[in-house]
Amino acid sequence: MIVDLARGPVDLDALGDADAIELRAEAVEVDALAAAFAELRGLRGLKTLRLASRVRALPPGITELRGLQHLSIVDAVLPGLPAGIDAWTRLRTLRLRLFHLASLPRSVAGLVRLRELAIDSHHLCGLPRGLSALVELRALTLILRHDYVHDWQRPAHFNPRFTQPLAELFTILAELPALAELTLSEPVSHTSPGAIFAQLPVELGGLRALETLRFVDSCASVLPAELSMPWVRRIGRVGSEMRDEELRRIFPNAIRDDRRSHDPEEP
């Protein structure tokens, strides 16, 4: 069910027993969004929320929607999530398409039932340590759109960049005991500062639960020569510099998946 706050506040009577809502809040102030979250607390069967907003900070009341199992947020100005997201103890899916997202709060480690995490951001700098607590996380998508963007609220020459060393990133991912699907993507444009995933480290081999490894949009031109991942069953769109014989040596039991795109909003 679609609720457009530009047309008026949330009407619980109209929502009935809806368990899934698309909340459109791009054209309202943060106070209207806070009031909407306060009303939605009364919708006890709400399990799925897709939020489209345009705010500099989410009202903390969103963390009081504790029955949520699936949450998607699309916002062109939001820089991050509230610190109290560990209140979403039932959350299974978290999909974030946030232009300015630079990092996740450490409280993301409290989402112990999370099974899917998808991040699409221009500004992501890295992932926090402590993700090993996400013992049920099976699918992770990282889409890095690191274009140069002039933002009047940031330094004039702010240039977003993934600054976390890849060895550290993959060490963190290797601590996720159930991670079976990993999708890496970095759409390239004329303002991109340079490829992040062009050469992956040997720490990639530590992802022992991985079954599907997918590269999208100019990822992974080079993999370590000593890498061997026979447990991987499916790989997708590695760089053109990778020869078939190299792929067969590194992924001897995998089949190719050459899909060209992956949208974290898709199921």
Side-chain angles (χ1 to χ4, degrees):
M1 181 174 293
I2 297 175
V3 176
D4 189 344
L5 295 184
R7 298 183 178 182
V10 171
D11 182 349
L12 283 185
D13 291 335
L15 292 177
D17 57 355
D19 63 355
I21 291 178
E22 179 178 339
L23 185 62
R24 297 179 180 175
E26 302 100 322
V28 300
E29 298 297 327
V30 68
D31 289 347
L33 187 55
F37 292 150
E39 287 295 317
L40 290 177
R41 287 203 305 269
L43 199 62
R44 299 191 180 278
L46 182 62
K47 295 182 175 62
T48 300
L49 176 64
R50 185 182 189 275
L51 171 64
S53 58
R54 190 175 178 85
V55 293
R56 289 288 175 182
L58 282 177
I62 191 173
T63 62
E64 297 180 19
L65 303 177
R66 299 184 180 181
L68 288 179
Q69 296 181 15
H70 309 283
L71 175 61
S72 171
I73 305 176
V74 179
D75 193 305
V77 297
L78 183 66
L81 299 177
I85 65 172
D86 50 355
W88 294 326
T89 56
R90 300 181 183 179
L91 202 65
R92 302 291 194 185
T93 304
L94 179 60
R95 297 173 179 171
L96 304 172
R97 184 175 289 178
L98 305 181
F99 188 98
H100 287 288
L101 179 71
S103 62
L104 296 174
R106 293 186 180 277
S107 53
V108 70
L111 305 180
V112 294
R113 295 187 180 179
L114 196 66
R115 294 180 179 174
E116 178 187 347
L117 174 61
I119 302 173
D120 184 340
S121 170
H122 286 253
H123 291 180
L124 189 69
C125 296
L127 295 183
R129 290 194 170 274
L131 294 186
S132 58
L134 304 182
V135 295
E136 295 188 20
L137 188 68
R138 290 189 51 81
L140 174 65
T141 297
L142 294 179
I143 300 178
L144 307 181
R145 303 180 189 272
H146 288 104
D147 293 344
Y148 176 85
V149 180
H150 181 78
D151 184 341
W152 66 273
Q153 290 195 342
R154 292 174 180 264
H157 299 290
F158 174 73
N159 196 357
R161 182 69 172 171
F162 192 89
T163 56
Q164 186 170 49
L166 289 188
E168 179 180 318
L169 170 66
F170 284 101
T171 297
I172 291 172
L173 298 185
E175 295 173 351
L176 294 166
L179 186 63
E181 180 176 339
L182 175 63
T183 300
L184 303 175
S185 175
E186 46 182 339
V188 175
S189 77
H190 68 282
T191 59
S192 295
I196 306 298
F197 298 129
Q199 185 165 353
L200 299 185
V202 70
E203 283 79 5
L204 172 64
L207 278 66
R208 303 292 299 186
L210 203 64
E211 298 174 359
T212 298
L213 177 59
R214 184 176 296 114
F215 305 103
V216 184
D217 297 326
S218 302
C219 280
S221 296
V222 179
L223 293 173
E226 64 272 34
L227 188 65
S228 178
M229 302 180 70
W231 54 88
V232 173
R233 301 298 178 183
R234 185 181 301 271
I235 59 171
R237 293 199 60 76
V238 295
S240 58
E241 297 179 18
M242 288 292 295
R243 297 191 299 272
D244 286 343
E245 56 267 29
E246 291 180 280
L247 294 175
R248 286 194 294 270
R249 177 182 57 78
I250 297 172
F251 308 105
N253 299 312
I255 62 174
R256 294 289 295 270
D257 176 0
D258 288 332
R259 288 183 293 172
R260 291 184 176 272
S261 64
H262 181 79
D263 186 344
E265 289 299 303
E266 294 177 353

